[in-house]
Amino acid sequence: TMNARVLIKFLRALIESTPGKVFLILDNLRVHHAKIVKRWLAKKPVKRYLEVFFLPAYSPELNPDEYLNCDLKNMVHSGPAVRSIEDLKKRTRSCMLTLQRRPERVKTYFRAGHILYAA
């Protein structure tokens, strides 16, 4: 479950694993605006390595995640009908692994007209 502490842990790992400054685009999930997250982001050492930008509210067309979600849904529903939660989990994992092995496909999300700002 995504919560403020999980987000901060992710952000720390992102900073530690990326050389140079990270420019991160977030949507308006409530967790992204939590007080503890805002305080953590405001710290001087963090500001040196991470800059966060927020998408405008109600703008899924600007969010590359939505392109991935659409792709994933199409892949999951392209085969035989899923009959159980376990089958849905397996198919979802398989589709995500397929996308992970096809970085060129993921890069196409950032070529969409509304997403070019992030490319």
Side-chain angles (χ1 to χ4, degrees):
T1 302
M2 176 58 80
N3 61 44
R5 295 194 191 287
V6 170
L7 177 59
I8 291 170
K9 184 177 179 181
F10 167 78
L11 295 173
R12 275 192 188 115
L14 184 62
I15 290 170
E16 290 170 4
S17 67
T18 307
K21 189 167 189 173
V22 175
F23 297 91
L24 183 64
I25 301 166
L26 296 173
D27 58 18
N28 285 290
L29 185 66
R30 183 175 283 163
V31 164
H32 297 159
H33 294 283
K35 288 179 185 177
I36 187 173
V37 173
K38 286 181 179 181
R39 282 193 303 268
W40 188 83
L41 288 171
K43 293 178 180 178
K44 259 189 183 175
V46 172
K47 286 180 153 186
R48 196 171 338 145
Y49 299 105
L50 178 68
E51 192 166 344
V52 176
F53 301 89
F54 290 96
L55 292 173
Y58 307 107
S59 55
E61 73 281 359
L62 299 177
N63 190 343
D65 285 355
E66 298 299 334
Y67 291 73
L68 180 132
N69 292 341
C70 183
D71 215 2
L72 177 63
K73 286 177 189 176
N74 286 334
M75 291 171 75
V76 167
H77 294 297
S78 68
V82 175
R83 300 286 181 202
S84 70
I85 296 291
E86 201 52 46
D87 286 345
L88 179 60
K89 287 179 182 179
K90 284 179 186 174
R91 177 133 357 132
T92 300
R93 281 190 192 101
S94 174
C95 293
M96 290 300 287
L97 286 170
T98 297
L99 288 171
Q100 188 176 10
R101 288 188 296 265
R102 296 173 59 200
E104 288 304 316
R105 173 69 187 166
V106 175
K107 288 177 185 176
T108 65
Y109 307 150
F110 295 90
R111 293 186 196 120
H114 289 95
I115 307 295
L116 285 175
Y117 73 90

